[in-house]
Amino acid sequence: MGLPPATEEVARLVELIGGEATLKLLEARGGTRLWIPKKSTDGVLAGIVGVDAAEAMAKHYGSGEIMLPIGRPWRVLCYIAMGLNRTQTALKAGTSEKVVHGILQRFGRPNKISQSA
């Protein structure tokens, strides 16, 4: 699935582990501290993003804690591109329709992405 370009806040994660893994990670743990284990094949991180992305994060960050961005603007753009309407997007992003509108005004409306693979 192709996702909208990353916003500055999430660009490093998207470049490191890809858009889909980043979206999953932000949905699960955005705005919180996350422990990056030495052994990336097990644990919470691998369960969220998969072993390959967990290994990439362990290699890049090393063992320890990182603070994840919330990434709300990029998540809103992803949800809109997936075909969710503003109400659905607001609920999924944990925000208001007014905030969704503001994000779309600021970043523009992304093209819909194909759900078929």
Side-chain angles (χ1 to χ4, degrees):
M1 150 179 31
L3 296 173
T7 58
E8 185 178 334
E9 181 184 30
V10 300
R12 176 177 276 167
L13 276 173
V14 171
E15 185 177 312
L16 182 63
I17 64 173
E20 290 181 43
T22 299
L23 185 58
K24 287 178 186 177
L25 184 59
L26 297 181
E27 287 174 336
R29 297 292 304 270
T32 67
R33 285 185 222 117
L34 177 70
W35 178 258
I36 307 295
K38 288 180 186 177
K39 200 172 196 182
S40 56
T41 58
D42 53 316
V44 173
L45 181 59
I48 295 169
V49 298
V51 173
D52 291 342
E55 286 177 356
M57 290 183 75
K59 184 177 180 182
H60 181 79
Y61 293 108
S63 173
E65 277 187 344
I66 64 168
M67 185 67 179
L68 293 172
I70 293 173
R72 186 170 285 130
W74 183 68
R75 289 174 34 225
V76 163
L77 296 174
C78 289
Y79 302 148
I80 293 291
M82 290 174 185
L84 274 63
N85 64 36
R86 289 182 187 195
T87 301
Q88 294 166 325
T89 296
L91 291 169
K92 191 162 177 80
T95 193
S96 68
E97 288 183 48
K98 183 177 180 179
V99 169
V100 170
H101 177 75
I103 290 169
L104 294 176
Q105 290 288 98
R106 180 174 174 204
F107 292 98
R109 187 175 182 89
N111 294 329
K112 280 194 173 183
I113 55 178
S114 174
Q115 291 294 316
S116 60

